[in-house]
Amino acid sequence: MVEAGADPMNLMWDYLTNGDNWSGDGGIADRAAEHVALCLGALLIAGLIALPVGTMVGHGRRGDDLPIALGTLGRLMAPLGVFCYFALKIDAGSDAVLFALVLLAIPPMMTAAYTGVRLVDVAAVDSARAAGMLPSQILRGVEIPIALPDLVGGIRKASRQVVAMAAVGAFVGAGGLGRLIIDGQSDEFRDYGMVATGGVLIALLAVILDGLIVMVGHRFTSPGLARRPVSRPARPEPAPAATYPTMPGPPPPPLNN
């Protein structure tokens, strides 16, 4: 039990600095490794499905309803309900959560890939076509490189969702850092330092993974696209000053002959 008025930061620090909490099954290192494996597996599987489909739909400019519908569905899905559904259909544990995380990661990736390729400047595509490039060459050599910042943005959005929702998967028996939050509130442990540690490490993992994705995306993005200036709206011209009619001045005096 925790004493009343105990500082959560002190409780978290005490939990983190206890070497026994890092080793063995269910330790911090073990839960962190489970969380990373679950997130990377879901992102990899979702990327292999969503990115090729999104780029092909954007390139062909047909079948626009698919990424739009999936993007809308991804915003409407309740993650915990999806986890519970697949836990009942498959089995409670990490397998059901992995499958559900893949479904949650596909919509933002596919939408970003479709939008990025679809909005590539038509002049660049026409120039490549006039140079004799085949459609597949245009996709690989022109559209995907130009759309790469959008693709990276979709992967970043999916990674943040997956890292956060993987913690929710602990409710249906999955491993990961979410177990620290769930188990820390149980009657067996009742350790709020354990709960705080799980929450902080999940947030830290999301930041680290997002930073790695940015670094890799920057490495493969053309310098011209990475350093393009942010477009700013043109400053409106000031309205002309209002003028009012005035009485004509007196006529000039006559000239003396």
Side-chain angles (χ1 to χ4, degrees), residues 16 50 179 210 251 255:
L16 283 171
R179 295 286 349 151
D210 185 75
L255 299 176

Side-chain angles (χ1 to χ4, degrees), residues 117-135:
V117 174
R118 183 70 173 80
L119 297 181
V120 169
D121 191 357
V122 178
V125 177
D126 291 341
S127 299
R129 187 178 294 113
M133 296 179 67
L134 298 175

Side-chain angles (χ1 to χ4, degrees), residues 226-242:
R227 300 172 185 172
R228 58 185 175 184
V230 179
S231 59
R232 300 180 183 275
R235 181 174 298 179
E237 295 292 336

